[in-house]
Amino acid sequence: MNKKIIAIGLALSFGGLSCITAQAKGISSTTEAEKLASDYVKGATVLHVEEDDDDGVWVYEVDMKKGSKKYELKYNASNGKLVEYQWEKISHKKASKKVSEKTIRRMAEKKVKNATITELDYDSDDAKYEIEMYDKSKKYELEYSTDGTLVSYKWEKL
């Protein structure tokens, strides 16, 4: 009887320790989220960090800036994993030349290997090509200017 109680106690202790260890890998403050994002986008300045409820999942959203790019990173608070990443150029000069849709398609496929293009549209109002791609675990959204410059890049876990 005592051996069973000890075995149960040990099992609960180790189970409790693994729960504590798993919980420790999550994010519990904006400072921790800021550190993760700064490690991911080296040299960027953090503009804003906030905790938010994203469809029932607590996340930390970090806005950053580096050079001519603005970054947005979203981390799952419970496990600390990056679930969404995007950047966009803050300013881009209007292009005088226009590359073909075929060229844009090749550029997108080279940028995101092993993903399938599901949509490629030209937005004449913004003079941009908008591409949507998927692989096994992520959705990607890319925007190219008419001269073939990548001006916006985003991925999110499915």
Side-chain angles (χ1 to χ4, degrees):
M1 180 72 170
N2 285 341
K3 288 181 182 179
K4 285 183 183 177
I5 293 172
I6 292 170
I8 292 171
L10 285 173
L12 290 173
S13 295
F14 287 120
L17 287 175
S18 65
C19 288
I20 291 168
T21 303
Q23 193 175 22
K25 292 181 181 178
I27 303 171
S28 59
S29 71
T30 55
T31 305
E32 289 177 28
E34 184 175 330
K35 169 84 171 93
L36 283 172
S38 293
D39 288 345
Y40 196 82
V41 184
K42 304 256 188 246
T45 301
V46 175
L47 303 173
H48 181 73
V49 182
E50 78 176 77
E51 186 177 16
D52 194 17
D53 179 354
D54 188 12
D55 295 327
V57 176
W58 282 101
V59 296
Y60 282 91
E61 298 174 353
V62 183
D63 296 333
M64 308 173 82
K65 182 181 183 279
K66 180 179 177 183
S68 64
K69 291 181 183 176
K70 180 182 171 204
Y71 296 83
E72 294 179 25
L73 292 83
K74 188 183 292 186
Y75 290 92
N76 182 315
S78 68
N79 62 20
K81 292 192 179 193
L82 183 62
V83 294
E84 189 173 308
Y85 167 82
Q86 71 179 43
W87 62 259
E88 67 179 285
K89 287 197 175 190
I90 297 167
S91 62
H92 179 71
K93 296 176 186 170
K94 295 254 181 189
S96 58
K97 66 177 184 173
K98 183 177 176 186
V99 298
S100 70
E101 184 176 307
K102 184 178 179 180
T103 300
I104 294 295
R105 180 178 293 276
R106 279 196 314 260
M107 292 169 73
E109 290 170 338
K110 185 176 179 181
K111 175 72 178 166
V112 185
K113 294 174 178 52
N114 301 320
T116 303
I117 295 176
T118 57
E119 192 173 324
L120 192 155
D121 293 320
Y122 178 72
D123 182 346
S124 58
D125 293 338
D126 293 331
K128 291 181 186 173
Y129 289 97
E130 298 171 345
I131 299 112
E132 189 171 284
M133 304 172 78
Y134 288 87
D135 67 14
K136 293 177 183 177
S137 63
K138 294 178 184 168
K139 173 185 175 183
Y140 301 87
E141 295 175 5
L142 293 79
E143 289 184 350
Y144 285 90
S145 68
T146 56
D147 67 357
T149 300
L150 182 61
V151 293
S152 176
Y153 174 83
K154 174 182 179 178
W155 65 255
E156 61 184 292
K157 289 196 175 188
L158 299 174

